[in-house]
Amino acid sequence: MSKMVAIRVPRNMRAKRELLKHAPKLVENGKKMLILHGTKTSAVLNDVLADFFHLKRDHAVKYTKKNDNIRPFESGGETSLEFFSLKSDCSLLVYGSHSKERPNNLVLGRTYDHHIYDLVEVGVENYKSIESIESYAYDKKLAPKLGTKPFFAFIGEHFESVDELKHLKEMLLDHFKGEVVENLNLAGVDRIFVCTAIPPTTVYMMHCALRLKRSGTSIPRMELVEVGPSMDLVVRRHQRPSESLQKEAMKAPGHAKKVKNVTNNPIDGKEGRIYIPDQEVSKLTLTSDIKGLKRERREAKKNKEHSKKQKVNPE
């Protein structure tokens, strides 16, 4: 007989607020990236994971401890990944490992409801780190700033025709695009990822800063300056989600029911509007129990008594 999992009820408001942060929302929070190390990693992979964390440091969690029991593409080997995803509340995964059969191996993954959704395994070649380019290529003022959003340029028709490259394109976009926003200030878009497809299953990814130059017109001329990291990603294996799981994950939530006469103000919070009908004073019935009338009667009575006394006792 299977053991029932106890549901833990929050005992105070602080614990309740923490549970609400992890609960499903109509508009979800930005996706966070979880970076993990395998049993053995090379110096190249350590630099790759460090640079990925540097690019996503505002929405990333990095574990430096080695993990022995993670096998992403094997049955039962994904349990640890799902556990760490639930623990850190991250839906994007980056796992690095190194072996003789698969040197400089990098696994990019996504989760749905903290269960593995899809995976792409790539090999890293011709890697250039941020530190190696900083020393001779560009000014540190061009380094990407915290909270900025990048452009993406995918060059090559193979991103649409080859299934492996198409899957890798989706994975790269989801890992590095940042939060979804409604309005965007172009001054905050200061970098670009240039991905070039090299047949059959290789992608050259280069991270560049955008430098604005004078062009003699109102539209400035853009110049790309390589700031790193840059690398060749060779697709080795990939795992698509099942049709049922994909259909469930793609469901769009219905719009929340609009409450009449209630608005949300970012400064004052929730505000309500109350409609009161026009008062017709002429039709109102005035009773004799009004305090103002009682006061007037007392004053009139005093004045009447005072006038009688004056008549009785004339001077």
Side-chain angles (χ1 to χ4, degrees):
M1 188 175 180
S2 60
K3 185 179 178 180
M4 297 293 292
V5 179
I7 300 176
R8 304 183 68 178
V9 181
R11 296 182 179 180
N12 50 39
M13 289 303 298
R14 181 182 178 184
K16 187 175 181 180
R17 286 193 296 267
E18 288 297 323
L19 287 178
L20 288 175
K21 289 180 182 179
H22 298 275
K25 304 177 183 63
L26 186 64
V27 179
E28 292 289 347
N29 301 332
K31 296 181 180 180
K32 293 196 298 183
M33 180 190 293
L34 175 62
I35 300 175
L36 296 169
H37 292 255
T39 307
K40 183 180 179 182
T41 55
S42 62
V44 173
L45 269 184
N46 290 334
D47 292 341
V48 171
L49 297 178
D51 286 348
F52 279 8
F53 180 72
H54 176 71
L55 294 175
K56 294 275 295 183
R57 60 189 180 275
D58 52 339
H59 293 92
V61 177
K62 183 182 179 183
Y63 292 159
T64 57
K65 186 178 179 180
K66 295 181 179 181
N67 299 278
D68 302 332
N69 54 349
I70 295 180
R71 303 287 186 272
F73 287 89
E74 299 178 9
S75 60
E78 302 170 348
T79 308
S80 296
L81 281 177
E82 295 173 352
F83 168 75
F84 287 125
S85 172
L86 178 62
K87 179 183 177 180
S88 57
D89 192 23
C90 295
S91 57
L92 304 174
L93 304 173
V94 177
Y95 173 72
S97 61
H98 179 75
S99 63
K100 186 177 180 180
E101 294 80 11
R102 292 186 175 88
N104 300 328
N105 199 53
L106 199 66
V107 178
L108 306 177
R110 295 181 289 185
T111 63
Y112 170 70
D113 196 18
H114 300 295
H115 294 285
I116 296 298
Y117 179 74
D118 59 348
L119 298 167
V120 175
E121 184 182 69
V122 296
V124 179
E125 299 178 358
N126 303 323
Y127 176 71
K128 293 182 183 178
S129 64
I130 296 177
E131 294 182 355
S132 64
I133 298 176
E134 270 186 350
S135 58
Y136 63 87
Y138 79 105
D139 188 2
K140 289 186 178 180
K141 294 180 180 179
L142 295 176
K145 299 176 180 61
L146 191 67
T148 58
K149 290 182 68 65
F151 282 118
F152 283 89
F154 292 93
I155 304 171
E157 59 183 9
H158 297 281
F159 282 114
E160 302 298 331
S161 58
V162 181
D163 188 44
E164 291 86 350
L165 298 185
K166 187 177 181 180
H167 194 185
L168 180 59
K169 173 185 174 181
E170 297 173 2
M171 198 71 70
L172 292 175
L173 279 173
D174 225 1
H175 276 68
F176 294 103
K177 69 180 180 181
E179 291 189 15
V180 178
V181 295
E182 295 180 358
N183 300 320
L184 184 64
N185 186 2
L186 292 179
V189 184
D190 57 353
R191 53 199 178 96
I192 182 173
F193 286 96
V194 182
C195 302
T196 307
I198 304 173
T201 57
T202 303
V203 173
Y204 173 61
M205 187 178 75
M206 180 173 59
H207 183 225
C208 300
L210 292 175
R211 177 182 288 174
L212 302 180
K213 296 284 188 177
R214 293 182 179 178
S215 61
T217 62
S218 59
I219 302 175
R221 179 174 61 88
M222 285 190 177
E223 183 180 287
L224 302 183
V225 182
E226 185 178 359
V227 296
S230 64
M231 68 196 86
D232 290 340
L233 301 176
V234 183
V235 181
R236 291 172 177 167
R237 291 184 291 179
H238 75 115
Q239 175 183 315
R240 286 280 192 177
S242 61
E243 292 184 3
S244 59
L245 180 60
Q246 186 176 8
K247 185 177 180 180
E248 183 182 355
M250 291 297 179
K251 283 183 180 178
H255 296 286
K257 188 176 180 181
K258 187 176 180 181
V259 182
K260 191 176 180 180
N261 301 328
V262 176
T263 57
N264 288 319
N265 193 322
I267 298 176
D268 299 330
K270 185 180 288 187
E271 295 180 348
R273 183 180 296 178
I274 301 174
Y275 290 91
I276 301 175
D278 296 335
Q279 294 183 359
E280 298 180 2
V281 182
S282 60
K283 295 182 180 180
L284 294 177
T285 57
L286 300 178
T287 62
S288 59
D289 297 334
I290 301 176
K291 292 183 179 180
L293 293 177
K294 292 180 179 180
R295 186 170 60 250
E296 291 178 0
R297 288 170 184 166
R298 286 196 299 269
E299 292 177 356
K301 188 176 181 180
K302 287 180 181 180
N303 293 334
K304 189 175 180 180
E305 292 177 353
H306 183 67
S307 61
K308 284 183 179 180
K309 287 179 181 181
Q310 287 180 349
K311 290 182 181 178
V312 173
N313 301 318
E315 292 181 0

